[in-house]
Amino acid sequence: MDITSRTVFMVGGTSGIGLELAHRFRAAGSTVVVGGRNTEVLAQLTAEGLGAVEIDVTDADSVARARDNVLKAHPDLDTVVTMSGTGGPEDLWDTAHFALAQTIVEVNLLGTIRVIDAFTPHLLARGAGTIVTVSSGIGFLPFPLMPTYGASKAAVHAYSEALRAQLAGTGIEVAELVPPAVATRIGGSNPHALALDAYGEEVMELLAQDPTPHEILVQAVLMHRWAERDGTYDALVAQRSQALATLPGRTQG
Ligand SMILES: NC(=O)c1ccc[n+]([C@@H]2O[C@H](COP(=O)([O-])OP(=O)(O)OC[C@H]3O[C@@H](n4cnc5c(N)ncnc54)[C@H](OP(=O)(O)O)[C@@H]3O)[C@@H](O)[C@H]2O)c1
């Protein structure tokens, strides 16, 4: 895709990967509106000259309001990124994990669907545009400490595939960003996490390819994405299961 002349709504762009890509799209020449709940950051972004819109992807009214505001200011909007996400460890021996599971599905899966539903009629009417969904390497290679997070991201992958097929021939393309561990609020405690600027640079290079790749796969995520094909899946899941020893009440090692 041409990253120099887009009008982008970066939903979930107030921190981490979304904020990094918002700045990079803008630096490349595109117009960017950032969405999120953090009004302090939204105000800072407005002061920097970016667009900013409050949105809570778990709330259908909030999504509709944000859509109306963005399209009023930018009737030429052509790119929507569904970056909003949340996650965390869950102990499946303790049913108290359910509250977090519910939040994760609400934000990562249903939030993605709400935002796409809100903008699809506009993009269909334009007959052109790009939807960028955000899954995770964990959606392809489980990290057993984060079961619902992985399940939500595997669901985003499956949804993206179906969305692309349903939008074929409409002029709307669907690209799925598949991040590995990246040093942000979500990925920050992982010592192997990629630096945010290095990740952002690699992502923009991949997004700028023509045609836009169906999956935006940086080098560091290839081991997750292709583990099953490469025959490394079982060994890697066993290795990643060692993190379960960090849960309270589990034997170490
Ligand atoms: N970092 C990693 O290691 C990694 C790996 C794979 C995939 N990912 C995915 O990449 C995406 C970005 O995550 P990140 O790592 O950059 O983490 P982050 O810094 O925590 O960013 C998450 C973003 O989601 C937004 N958000 C959360 N709940 C929301 C809600 N209810 N409504 C609207 N926005 C909401 C947050 O904005 P507000 O707080 O302002 O609402 C924030 O901008 C997520 O989808 C994540 O799952 C990250």
Side-chain angles (χ1 to χ4, degrees), residues 105-145:
V105 172
E106 263 299 328
V107 175
N108 296 6
L109 177 58
L110 295 177
T112 295
I113 295 173
R114 272 186 205 100
V115 172
I116 292 170
D117 281 353
F119 285 94
T120 297
H122 163 76
L123 295 175
L124 282 172
R126 284 189 89 244
T130 306
I131 297 172
V132 181
T133 59
V134 181
S135 64
S136 167
I138 293 178
F140 295 92
L141 177 68
F143 180 53
L145 196 57

Side-chain angles (χ1 to χ4, degrees), residues 11-19 34-39 41-42 55-59 82-87 107-108 134-138 149 153 177-188 190 193 196:
V11 185
T14 51
S15 68
I17 298 170
L19 187 58
V34 169
R37 296 164 305 171
N38 187 329
T39 47
V41 175
L42 292 175
I55 182 170
D56 180 344
V57 300
T58 66
D59 175 351
T82 58
M83 186 65 73
S84 301
T86 192
V107 175
N108 296 6
V134 181
S135 64
S136 167
I138 293 178
Y149 180 79
K153 294 300 189 175
L177 187 69
V178 189
V182 180
T184 66
R185 223 161 37 185
I186 287 179
N190 182 338
L196 194 50

Side-chain angles (χ1 to χ4, degrees), residues 132-222:
V132 181
T133 59
V134 181
S135 64
S136 167
I138 293 178
F140 295 92
L141 177 68
F143 180 53
L145 196 57
M146 296 172 69
T148 307
Y149 180 79
S152 73
K153 294 300 189 175
V156 168
H157 168 66
Y159 199 85
S160 305
E161 297 271 291
L163 181 69
R164 184 179 302 113
Q166 289 215 18
L167 295 177
T170 65
I172 308 172
E173 57 181 6
V174 177
E176 177 187 343
L177 187 69
V178 189
V182 180
T184 66
R185 223 161 37 185
I186 287 179
S189 59
N190 182 338
H192 305 296
L194 278 186
L196 194 50
D197 61 338
Y199 181 63
E201 188 172 341
E202 208 176 336
V203 166
M204 294 309 282
E205 273 170 24
L206 293 168
L207 277 175
Q209 288 179 2
D210 184 23
T212 314
H214 286 180
E215 294 178 8
I216 307 300
L217 300 169
V218 299
Q219 285 298 317
V221 86
L222 296 177

Side-chain angles (χ1 to χ4, degrees), residues 72-88:
K72 195 169 163 205
H74 301 282
D76 53 348
L77 183 89
D78 55 22
T79 306
V80 178
V81 185
T82 58
M83 186 65 73
S84 301
T86 192

